[in-house]
Amino acid sequence: MSSWSSAQFSYHFHGLSESFYRGVTPSPLSHPHWVHWNREFAESLQLPTEHNTEMLNAFSGITLPEEFKPLAMKYAGHQFGYYNPDLGDGRGLLMAEIKANDGRRYDIHVKGAGLTPFSRQGDGRAVLRSSIREYLCSEALHHLGIPTTRALGLINSETLVYREKTETGAICIRLAESHIRFGHFEHCFYTGQHEQLKELVEHTLRNHFPECQQQEKPYAAMLQQVVISTAQLFAKWNAFGFAHGVLNTDNMSILGQTFDFGPFGFLDNYDPSFICNHSDYQGRYSFANQPNIGLWNLTALAHSLSPLIERSDLDDALALYEPELNREFSRLMRQKIGLQTKQDQDPELFGEMFALLAKNKVDYTRFFRQLSMLDSQGIQPVIDLVLDREAAKIWLDQYQQRLTLEAQSDAERCEAMRTHNPKYILRNHLAQIAIDKAEDGDYSEVETLFTLLQNPYDEQPEYDQYSNLPPSWAHELEISCSS
Ligand code: AMP
Ligand code: MG
């Protein structure tokens, strides 16, 4: 195929036995067209930097190039705490793997490709609105420094898809170094396929955790790595104010990356009880509960590995979670407020800061960004973000006292802080504006947000209004799973 003749494709997952997937022919979208193409990423994969019709047809199921060998993965998982054996790629297909210039190998997964044997009652499609959200958010997280799947391209079509209203079928071309989920292992375990469980663990070790192969107990070493990377991921989400929304074990990447974007949300005002998923009635996946759920999900994974790893090694691996989560969260929060040394009073300083933010519903992202401007703009703009101005002054006083124990100058500290506290995040209302325009056929706002969020830590004064507090209508936005 001429358009991607220099790209290098491979098919490692395809080498697994048939209990792991079914071959599926994608169902073509009607009149597909490009919404966006991630040029920089494409270039790193030796794909054309400009999108073209040949690739459009291949990704939307109109043609099937020889490089693509589409398959739907079989997996299971715990959804909202209950085991569901019947999951699998119900609308996404793994086409091939592709090698990047830096040596990494990515799965090419086409989300919204039509029915598969695992579609259950679903229609195999993804609507434009949820595809835009996944496309923008995965790239936004990547540029913030949060591990995540990536997005290569976004396609819309004239295929009608019926949700609460009639929408159009879209495709998000998702790339990840692996699409193996906790639920893949659970599937083998709960169906009693212990040989296949071993096959999958060996495959995962060889392809994704090669350094563990040298260890005395490679399987246990791999689980330890998964525990550590998951703890770090969950710490990052909470430090950046990100809520995933549907932390079922089928949405947990074995690589500790943000995976399967649904009704996610960034905090606007700081609210630990924030529930971004309108259908999560009990708040199982609330912002504050995310860290607990990380451990719950890892425990489910460990249980499914119990035929291969001794009980004491499972326990030892799981015991790494909490200290790693706390270590990483505290490292990130110290960076956010610019502390290089550790002092006895720090827990109190942080405790009072979080209490101030919660009580006054302070905008989480703006607070830290403004704190990073203390050198040039002083304390007044920080105070202005807090309803109880006296309480803000008391905390700022405490903070400034604490800063006298640091060696850095104000300017040095603030400059470093601005590399840890983004000015721009994908707030729900920003995504919604881009979606509303796109549904009217205008994709310019998708392009604008994509570009803006590639440099979330830069001032980009021309985009200043994108860092504003959300408008009042944003509080009424309800995001649910019907994507
Ligand atoms: P999710 O909530 O997106 O993580 O999906 C949970 C399960 O439902 C997975 O097995 C998906 O493949 C499947 N699924 C979600 N949406 C659809 C759809 N529109 N058609 C078919 N399967 C779907
Ligand atoms: Mg999912």
Side-chain angles (χ1 to χ4, degrees):
M1 165 164 306
S2 57
S3 293
W4 42 45
S5 51
S6 55
Q8 292 180 53
F9 296 93
S10 57
Y11 309 92
H12 291 75
F13 191 88
H14 294 67
L16 288 173
S17 58
E18 63 264 29
S19 63
F20 292 103
Y21 60 83
R22 304 276 181 283
V24 175
T25 306
S27 313
L29 286 175
S30 149
H31 298 95
H33 55 269
W34 287 108
V35 175
H36 202 270
W37 180 246
N38 187 345
R39 296 179 203 92
E40 289 83 354
F41 194 25
E43 188 169 19
S44 77
L45 301 165
Q46 297 183 22
L47 289 171
T49 51
E50 296 306 322
H51 56 61
N52 61 45
T53 309
E54 193 179 354
M55 292 194 294
L56 175 70
N57 289 339
F59 285 117
S60 51
I62 303 219
T63 57
L64 187 58
E66 62 181 15
E67 289 87 348
F68 282 178
K69 305 183 193 308
L71 61 80
M73 290 178 165
K74 172 61 198 167
Y75 51 82
H78 280 84
Q79 296 180 305
F80 289 88
Y82 295 96
Y83 185 66
N84 183 345
D86 293 327
L87 301 175
D89 286 335
R91 54 173 166 170
L93 297 175
L94 173 66
M95 298 300 201
E97 299 144 5
I98 186 168
K99 199 162 179 186
N101 288 337
D102 63 5
R104 286 173 212 247
R105 201 168 63 218
Y106 290 93
D107 290 350
I108 302 177
H109 178 97
V110 174
K111 188 166 176 180
L115 292 173
T116 81
F118 313 118
S119 297
R120 297 179 292 158
Q121 294 86 350
D123 55 10
R125 293 301 185 193
V127 294
L128 180 63
R129 100 189 112 83
S130 66
S131 306
I132 289 176
R133 283 169 53 82
E134 170 147 6
Y135 189 80
L136 290 177
C137 194
S138 59
E139 288 302 296
L141 291 190
H142 172 72
H143 291 289
L144 284 170
I146 301 177
T148 175
T149 60
R150 303 285 311 273
L152 175 64
L154 183 58
I155 293 168
N156 192 18
S157 75
E158 293 177 12
T159 297
L160 296 182
V161 178
Y162 304 96
R163 298 288 184 265
E164 283 94 355
K165 55 178 185 173
T166 305
E167 305 187 45
T168 55
I171 277 179
C172 180
I173 307 167
R174 175 167 79 191
L175 270 65
E177 287 156 270
S178 172
H179 274 71
I180 297 176
R181 308 153 187 257
F182 289 11
H184 276 93
F185 301 91
E186 294 180 282
H187 164 64
C188 296
F189 175 72
Y190 285 98
T191 51
Q193 300 181 75
H194 292 182
E195 277 307 305
Q196 284 85 347
L197 182 65
K198 189 159 187 228
E199 182 189 353
L200 180 64
V201 169
E202 286 287 344
H203 168 92
T204 310
L205 256 179
R206 212 169 36 247
N207 289 288
H208 304 296
F209 297 89
E211 67 287 355
C212 295
Q213 286 179 299
Q214 271 54 267
Q215 303 285 315
E216 193 192 328
K217 296 178 175 175
Y219 298 171
M222 182 174 89
L223 179 62
Q224 288 185 6
Q225 288 303 312
V226 179
V227 171
I228 299 272
S229 63
T230 303
Q232 291 176 352
L233 176 69
F234 278 64
K236 287 202 172 72
W237 285 346
N238 276 48
F240 280 88
F242 177 80
H244 179 287
V246 195
L247 288 168
N248 296 333
T249 56
D250 54 303
N251 292 339
M252 294 287 297
S253 154
I254 198 70
L255 300 183
Q257 302 179 337
T258 317
F259 194 19
D260 258 7
F261 292 79
F264 66 81
F266 276 94
L267 294 180
D268 289 315
N269 59 295
Y270 180 69
D271 174 11
S273 67
F274 175 60
I275 301 166
C276 59
N277 179 0
H278 185 55
S279 325
D280 182 5
Y281 306 110
Q282 310 204 312
R284 179 179 172 89
Y285 301 137
S286 72
F287 180 73
N289 209 32
Q290 285 189 144
N292 296 331
I293 290 295
L295 183 57
W296 196 97
N297 289 344
L298 284 163
T299 306
L301 174 68
H303 184 58
S304 72
L305 295 174
S306 57
L308 299 175
I309 302 177
E310 277 170 47
R311 172 71 194 257
S312 60
D313 290 333
L314 295 176
D315 289 342
D316 289 350
L318 291 172
L320 298 173
Y321 181 79
E322 200 177 321
E324 184 62 23
L325 179 97
N326 290 335
R327 194 199 56 73
E328 177 70 350
F329 184 70
S330 138
R331 183 183 75 84
L332 294 164
M333 291 314 300
R334 302 180 80 77
Q335 279 183 345
K336 281 178 91 67
I337 69 168
L339 302 184
Q340 292 186 312
T341 68
K342 283 194 179 170
Q343 305 291 339
D344 291 345
Q345 74 244 45
D346 292 350
E348 192 190 326
L349 182 72
F350 278 111
E352 290 184 5
M353 179 190 79
F354 282 118
L356 181 79
L357 295 181
K359 200 166 167 206
N360 291 278
K361 303 191 184 330
V362 180
D363 188 84
Y364 189 72
T365 301
R366 281 192 74 105
F367 177 79
F368 292 105
R369 185 70 183 185
Q370 200 56 60
L371 214 53
S372 322
M373 301 289 182
L374 226 50
D375 59 336
S376 57
Q377 299 182 3
I379 57 170
Q380 197 54 49
V382 183
I383 296 173
D384 290 344
L385 291 169
V386 186
L387 210 59
D388 183 346
R389 306 165 80 82
E390 282 312 307
K393 281 184 201 156
I394 291 170
W395 186 82
L396 280 164
D397 201 43
Q398 196 182 347
Y399 174 54
Q400 286 183 306
Q401 283 293 326
R402 171 63 184 80
L403 290 177
T404 60
L405 303 176
E406 295 289 315
Q408 276 183 316
S409 70
D410 280 2
E412 285 168 336
R413 185 192 66 253
C414 287
E415 193 185 343
M417 281 167 69
R418 288 192 291 274
T419 67
H420 300 299
N421 294 305
K423 178 172 178 184
Y424 301 103
I425 54 166
L426 184 65
R427 294 179 189 265
N428 252 339
H429 75 280
L430 295 178
Q432 194 57 47
I433 292 168
I435 288 166
D436 290 343
K437 283 194 176 178
E439 288 181 338
D440 287 336
D442 174 1
Y443 303 135
S444 59
E445 198 62 16
V446 173
E447 174 78 54
T448 302
L449 287 180
F450 184 88
T451 308
L452 166 76
L453 295 167
Q454 279 183 315
N455 297 294
Y457 299 102
D458 291 357
E459 271 302 310
Q460 306 190 68
E462 69 277 25
Y463 291 119
D464 217 41
Q465 77 271 21
Y466 288 88
S467 69
N468 286 350
L469 294 177
S472 52
W473 60 263
H475 305 304
E476 270 106 63
L477 277 178
E478 288 179 350
I479 313 286
S480 74
C481 275
S482 78
S483 58

